[in-house]
Amino acid sequence: MTHILSEDNLQVIATNAKAKTDISHIHAFLGAKTSQKWLDVAKDNLPLLMQDHANCEKKAAGTAMNLIFRYEFHRDLQEKLAQLVREEMLHYEQVLELMTERGIAWSHLPAGRYAKGLFKHKRTYEPASMIDTLIIGAFIEARSCERFSALADVIDDEKLAKYYKYLLKSESRHYEDYLALAQSITDESIDERVAFFKEVESELISSPDSELRFHSGVPDFV
Ligand SMILES: [Fe+2]
Ligand SMILES: [Fe+2]
């Protein structure tokens, strides 16, 4: 097996992590910060979190792939999301490798409430449906970024913390790309819709949740 996270690559990762860790624009975009309780429970359940992270990378690529098929005439979307799919699949391989290194066997983990909770508000007619899907994509990417950054500061696994910091750059670009694509397909401002999803997303992150997932709310089971 090729080792994607070789010593050379880790060196690059460490350098990149130092180069860019400012995610203040992400914090400004999101309506709520990750709670201390989620972080406390998450750092004690890293194997489960890594399994869910692997699922998220695969789903991120799948969702983008669906958009590529559905909106074949939007050239900018084709180019941006083709790159995104490549990056998410690379992340997927990297997370698999980190799981293998830690002896974490693959386990079936059903999705939490987060994505469903966002997509249930997606309008069903075009171009509103496309705009909403892209805005939701922006929130999921922005939240991933915020959580990687917060987790990197509290976990003891140094290599994993470095890896989470390395992910900030691409996840923050994914958030920006999704948001720009959403605005690119309409002459009207999308601000109202962004504000709506900001509230829905904050509620999902700040309210009690009976499950731990990468994008879950405040754990209410401990
Ligand atoms: Fe990713
Ligand atoms: Fe991403």
Side-chain angles (χ1 to χ4, degrees), residues 189-208:
S189 166
I190 60 165
D191 291 358
E192 213 175 290
R193 220 43 206 155
V194 170
F196 169 76
F197 280 109
K198 180 174 186 163
E199 212 162 293
V200 173
E201 204 272 345
S202 304
E203 176 65 18
L204 287 164
I205 289 301
S206 314
S207 58

Side-chain angles (χ1 to χ4, degrees), residues 57 88 91 171:
E57 296 292 359
E88 305 297 21
H91 298 163
E171 303 310 347

Side-chain angles (χ1 to χ4, degrees), residues 11 38 41 63 75 89 91 93 97 106 109-110 122 137 148 157 162 180 186 194:
Q11 205 43 53
W38 184 89
V41 176
T63 305
R75 188 51 180 252
M89 289 316 292
H91 298 163
E93 286 182 85
E97 191 173 314
W106 184 268
L109 191 61
K122 178 172 75 84
F148 286 132
D157 185 330
K162 265 187 201 167
T186 176
V194 170

Side-chain angles (χ1 to χ4, degrees), residues 105-163:
W106 184 268
S107 62
H108 176 69
L109 191 61
R113 67 183 189 179
Y114 181 76
K116 254 181 280 163
L118 289 167
F119 278 106
K120 77 175 183 192
H121 297 286
K122 178 172 75 84
R123 293 167 293 178
T124 52
Y125 52 93
E126 294 295 1
S129 171
M130 185 182 183
I131 293 169
D132 284 357
T133 304
L134 294 167
I135 291 173
I136 291 169
F139 274 101
I140 297 175
E141 297 287 348
R143 178 60 64 189
S144 304
C145 198
E146 190 261 353
R147 289 230 149 143
F148 286 132
S149 170
L151 273 171
D153 290 339
V154 297
I155 60 175
D156 298 327
D157 185 330
E158 218 174 290
K159 183 172 177 182
L160 195 59
K162 265 187 201 167
Y163 179 63

